[in-house]
Amino acid sequence: MEKRILGKTGLEISSIGFGGIPIQRVDEEYAARLIEELNKQGINFIDTARGYTISEELIGYGLGKFGRDKFVLATKSMSRDYDGMKKDIEISLKNLRTEYIDLYQLHNVRTEAEYNKIISENGALRALKEAKQEGKVKHIGMTSHDLVTLEKGVDSGYFDTIQFPYNPVERQAEELFKKANSLGLGVIVMKPLAGGAITNAELSLRFILENKSVSVAIPGMDSIEQIKENARVGNEYRKLNDTERDIILTEAKELGTEFCRRCGYCAPCPQGIDIPSQFLIEGYYSRYNLKDWAKERYMEFSSKASDCIECGQCETRCPYDLPIRDMLKKVVNILG
């Protein structure tokens, strides 16, 4: 397996990692088999989150059977304040059956207001720093779907890693990845298959790994066959040839006609709808087959796709000219 250094953490990790969202669908024993297969295939980086229902618990069960010391373990929390993060760290340690977590990340920081709360005196960052001093957390990272907010994190000096979507369709972070890499931050790529929209997984992963600013790509996996297929990209890594590049970029271009990159330029919506998140959750429902989980998350939104009054302001701001109103109707048809 090709190994890369996770920025200034100094951790040597596999270029293909394990995304922990889909593991929610399997039982404990199969989860343990997945962890065992990761080790067999040379994948040593695991990423999960408090918000992925039982993902931490399932991974913890597998680690308990096949060895915590074989893996670099990352998780994350949506908590924004000190007390909430302090509590979540303890829950993660218990769930993952470990005395320490290699990388604890602030999960999906979306706005400047959220970011400012996190770094305030009573914010979540303080709890993470204390946990680091106590040895419970080794390194601190930040994830986001908002490029402007993530850039604040890169420039701050607070974080060891960043995590952002990147694939042949979503390439808006390439310059920020270069900057992060030059500053010694590890770069973790989520959504390497565009939430399952990209059909040619191998070519997409190979495209991503050509970017030397990237530390690791973390496709979500819930089967042994998926692990074998994705690990093969790192175990037998080779650059794309011209024909392969044309294939994957053509697919990306085709997806681009109605594909949300979650850039956030459509905001603000007069009805308070978080438009990119509507499409994100619909993707989990339709492409990841996480129907119950996605439905539950969708119902938590205070303003939903169904609240759209079709004013069209979002479409005037979208740099990709997406038919956002029609796409929101699709969300309503699927999620209500």
Side-chain angles (χ1 to χ4, degrees):
M1 172 66 67
E2 181 198 19
K3 294 295 201 316
R4 299 187 179 187
I5 302 300
L6 187 62
K8 56 189 174 185
T9 72
L11 295 167
E12 187 178 55
I13 60 173
S14 51
S15 59
I16 300 296
F18 179 81
I21 292 179
I23 200 173
Q24 303 170 65
R25 293 196 289 257
V26 307
D27 61 25
E28 280 190 342
E29 293 308 319
Y30 194 75
R33 289 179 59 196
L34 294 178
I35 299 301
E36 181 182 27
E37 190 63 33
L38 292 177
N39 185 51
K40 288 180 180 178
Q41 297 298 328
I43 294 176
N44 73 342
F45 184 81
I46 294 175
D47 179 88
T48 182
R50 290 284 306 110
Y52 299 164
T53 61
I54 59 171
S55 175
E56 282 187 337
E57 291 96 318
L58 291 170
I59 290 169
Y61 179 80
L63 293 174
K65 295 195 73 171
F66 295 106
R68 162 70 178 90
D69 60 335
K70 296 180 174 68
F71 297 95
V72 172
L73 189 57
T75 193
K76 44 196 178 287
S77 165
M78 289 287 292
S79 292
R80 303 303 188 224
D81 59 36
Y82 173 82
D83 290 335
M85 181 60 78
K86 197 171 181 66
K87 180 180 178 181
D88 270 358
I89 292 168
E90 295 302 323
I91 294 172
S92 292
L93 289 168
K94 180 181 178 181
N95 288 346
L96 292 164
R97 307 190 187 195
T98 182
E99 295 181 356
Y100 69 94
I101 293 164
D102 296 288
L103 175 65
Y104 211 107
Q105 303 157 101
L106 292 152
H107 191 179
N108 193 19
V109 185
R110 295 179 292 179
T111 66
E112 184 176 3
E114 284 188 12
Y115 180 83
N116 289 337
K117 183 174 183 178
I118 283 164
I119 65 174
S120 68
E121 183 178 355
N122 290 314
L125 184 61
R126 177 182 152 211
L128 286 169
K129 288 180 175 179
E130 288 183 2
K132 187 174 180 180
Q133 291 175 345
E134 295 166 357
K136 296 177 180 179
V137 169
K138 300 298 183 182
H139 305 283
I140 300 170
M142 172 180 167
T143 87
S144 183
H145 290 86
D146 182 80
L147 201 61
V148 175
T149 305
L150 191 66
E151 188 163 14
K152 290 181 180 294
V154 169
D155 291 336
S156 70
Y158 295 138
F159 305 108
D160 300 308
T161 66
I162 58 170
Q163 184 176 151
F164 195 80
Y166 179 59
N167 53 64
V169 182
E170 302 172 280
R171 301 178 61 178
Q172 64 270 31
E174 286 181 338
E175 289 303 313
L176 186 58
F177 285 178
K178 289 180 184 177
K179 183 177 185 179
N181 182 261
S182 70
L183 294 172
L185 277 71
V187 174
I188 302 167
V189 168
M190 62 167 131
K191 306 296 184 294
L193 308 181
I198 293 175
T199 59
N200 200 316
E202 178 191 344
L203 296 188
S204 186
L205 291 171
R206 285 166 60 194
F207 173 90
I208 292 165
L209 295 187
E210 286 185 342
N211 188 332
K212 294 306 177 184
S213 295
V214 169
S215 307
V216 59
I218 51 169
M221 296 177 266
D222 65 358
S223 74
I224 289 174
E225 188 56 38
Q226 288 173 356
I227 291 173
K228 289 179 178 178
E229 289 178 0
N230 292 332
R232 192 175 299 121
V233 174
N235 284 323
E236 303 172 7
Y237 176 69
R238 64 190 190 281
K239 290 186 176 182
L240 297 171
N241 60 40
D242 290 342
T243 300
E244 291 169 331
R245 191 178 307 281
D246 285 344
I247 290 171
I248 194 62
L249 293 181
T250 297
E251 182 176 358
K253 185 177 180 180
E254 291 171 352
L255 280 172
T257 58
E258 288 195 14
F259 187 86
C260 177
R261 280 96 164 159
R262 296 185 291 282
C263 65
Y265 291 132
C266 56
C269 168
Q271 299 301 108
I273 302 168
D274 184 343
I275 294 170
S277 291
Q278 306 295 302
F279 301 143
L280 179 67
I281 295 301
E282 185 272 321
Y284 283 133
Y285 184 99
S286 300
R287 293 193 287 269
Y288 280 115
N289 197 31
L290 291 167
K291 289 181 168 54
D292 292 340
W293 183 78
K295 190 82 171 182
E296 180 182 341
R297 294 299 179 274
Y298 178 73
M299 296 308 296
E300 290 174 357
F301 288 120
S302 57
S303 298
K304 303 177 180 62
S306 56
D307 296 314
C308 175
I309 60 173
E310 298 192 52
C311 69
Q313 291 185 33
C314 53
E315 293 184 4
T316 66
R317 304 189 193 107
C318 178
Y320 305 104
D321 298 319
L322 295 178
I324 295 174
R325 287 172 290 183
D326 288 341
M327 293 167 68
L328 287 173
K329 289 177 183 177
K330 178 184 176 183
V331 174
V332 174
N333 289 336
I334 293 173
L335 294 173

